[in-house]
Amino acid sequence: MSASMRGLFCALFGCLTLGPLRAAPIPIDLNDFIALPGPPEIVVAADGSSATFTESINFGLLVLSNDPALGDPAIIDTGASAVLFDYTFIEPAGNTDEFGAFLIDPASGLPVDPLDPGRAFFAADGGSGSVSLDLVGLTFSFAGLQFELTAFDVITGSSLIVSDVRLETTTAVPEPPAWSLLLSAATLLLAWCRSIPARRSA
């Protein structure tokens, strides 16, 4: 088999052995969210990668929201499979506060299935982790997203950091007909290459 034929065959074989491909996550800029009340209670990083909430005696509810129903940029594309984020919720002893995150219906401005743990997340205790909110099955093109820190007492000291908000796209897997076509092409190429010595010796 010539070098060029070997190269072509290897390329075809490589296509056959590739596993499923996953597109890179799409980052969400938190500067496209509205902060109420704003600094110093809510401070968004200059690059939009994170937001820090600091509990205040003056406000019982701190909100960072992207709501297309209010004219905010439509950035939570429901063509993706999920919206993900990381969080660190610090709640000192004696505090009774809650961190919440949920999807928003862009038509009504109301939470989407707030009792569904796949669409909303609430934490009454301090902690940290990664959260995924499911976008599959939503009937609108874009959803809203809201983060909030709610105080149920008059004691301050709690804080919250939300970071790395991103969209996860659906895994891309080659369709079965494409696999069949590649397999057929590789088989034909191999048979053709093997027939060359036979024709030369005839």
Side-chain angles (χ1 to χ4, degrees), residues 112-134:
V112 175
D113 299 328
L115 299 180
D116 182 348
R119 309 280 198 198
F121 174 81
F122 294 95
D125 299 314
S128 61
S130 295
V131 176
S132 175
L133 301 180
D134 187 15

Side-chain angles (χ1 to χ4, degrees), residues 86-92 99 121 123-130 159-161:
D86 301 329
Y87 78 95
T88 300
F89 178 28
I90 298 173
E91 186 181 30
F99 162 48
F121 174 81
D125 299 314
S128 61
S130 295
S159 63
L160 167 70
I161 299 175

Side-chain angles (χ1 to χ4, degrees), residues 146-162:
Q146 181 162 309
F147 302 103
E148 56 185 41
L149 177 60
T150 307
F152 294 105
D153 56 33
V154 295
I155 305 172
T156 60
S158 293
S159 63
L160 167 70
I161 299 175
V162 174

Side-chain angles (χ1 to χ4, degrees), residues 13-195:
F13 185 76
C15 290
L16 289 171
T17 56
L18 282 176
L21 302 177
R22 182 177 296 277
I26 302 170
I28 296 297
D29 188 344
L30 291 177
N31 287 306
D32 289 326
F33 286 59
I34 300 299
L36 297 173
E41 284 79 12
I42 302 177
V43 177
V44 177
D47 64 359
S49 63
S50 65
T52 301
F53 298 62
T54 303
E55 187 180 15
S56 167
I57 192 65
N58 298 315
F59 301 96
L61 176 64
L62 308 181
V63 173
L64 184 66
S65 176
N66 173 272
D67 186 354
L70 298 178
D72 295 340
I75 55 175
I76 311 299
D77 186 346
T78 57
S81 57
V83 58
L84 295 83
F85 62 88
D86 301 329
Y87 78 95
T88 300
F89 178 28
I90 298 173
E91 186 181 30
N95 277 254
T96 308
D97 305 313
E98 183 181 70
F99 162 48
F102 50 85
L103 298 171
I104 299 174
D105 185 317
S108 66
L110 297 174
V112 175
D113 299 328
L115 299 180
D116 182 348
R119 309 280 198 198
F121 174 81
F122 294 95
D125 299 314
S128 61
S130 295
V131 176
S132 175
L133 301 180
D134 187 15
L135 297 173
V136 176
L138 297 180
T139 57
F140 29 84
S141 299
F142 292 91
L145 177 62
Q146 181 162 309
F147 302 103
E148 56 185 41
L149 177 60
T150 307
F152 294 105
D153 56 33
V154 295
I155 305 172
T156 60
S158 293
S159 63
L160 167 70
I161 299 175
V162 174
S163 62
D164 195 18
V165 183
R166 61 219 183 260
L167 291 177
E168 182 178 75
T169 56
T170 305
T171 302
V173 179
E175 294 294 327
W179 286 103
S180 300
L181 180 61
L182 284 171
L183 182 59
S184 299
T187 303
L188 289 172
L189 179 61
L190 181 60
W192 179 77
C193 291
R194 286 180 173 175
S195 71

